[in-house]
Amino acid sequence: DLAGNVWVNRAEIPGNGRDDDGNGYVDDFRGWNIVLNNDVITNRTIHGTPIAGIIGAKGNNGVGIAGINWNVKLMMVAGVPQTEAQALTAYS
């Protein structure tokens, strides 16, 4: 129910080691990990996936649950920020 709503940065070419879109992040195709400084967004705390489902699981498809917004793009940002500024920077 999440796969169709996950955002990807189409301006990046994944894995080429370059910042193709010029936003200051190299290979930020799937999102960003603010601790590892890469796009490894594995959910190790099991918090992000349930929250993403509440927000944006596809609805009216006979599978799983329906999120609040069925047609949304979910940008994945992983890692535990040390400051509020670090969290806000990750989403910008």
Side-chain angles (χ1 to χ4, degrees):
D1 276 357
L2 293 178
N5 286 347
V6 173
W7 171 89
V8 293
N9 184 354
R10 301 210 185 275
E12 278 292 336
I13 299 169
N16 71 354
R18 295 182 9 204
D19 179 15
D20 300 298
D21 61 2
N23 68 355
Y25 299 96
V26 174
D27 291 336
D28 59 324
F29 182 73
R30 298 179 303 154
W32 197 249
N33 185 313
I34 63 174
V35 174
L36 301 176
N37 288 322
N38 61 28
D39 79 335
V40 176
I41 53 167
T42 305
N43 184 4
R44 295 174 191 242
T45 64
I46 66 169
H47 173 76
T49 302
I51 299 303
I54 291 168
I55 295 168
K58 283 282 186 191
N60 202 29
N61 63 0
V63 178
I65 65 166
I68 295 168
N69 188 339
W70 300 353
N71 294 306
V72 67
K73 287 299 175 194
L74 300 163
M75 179 190 290
M76 304 303 172
V77 176
V80 178
Q82 300 300 312
T83 66
E84 184 176 325
Q86 188 180 31
L88 293 173
T89 299
Y91 279 100
S92 68

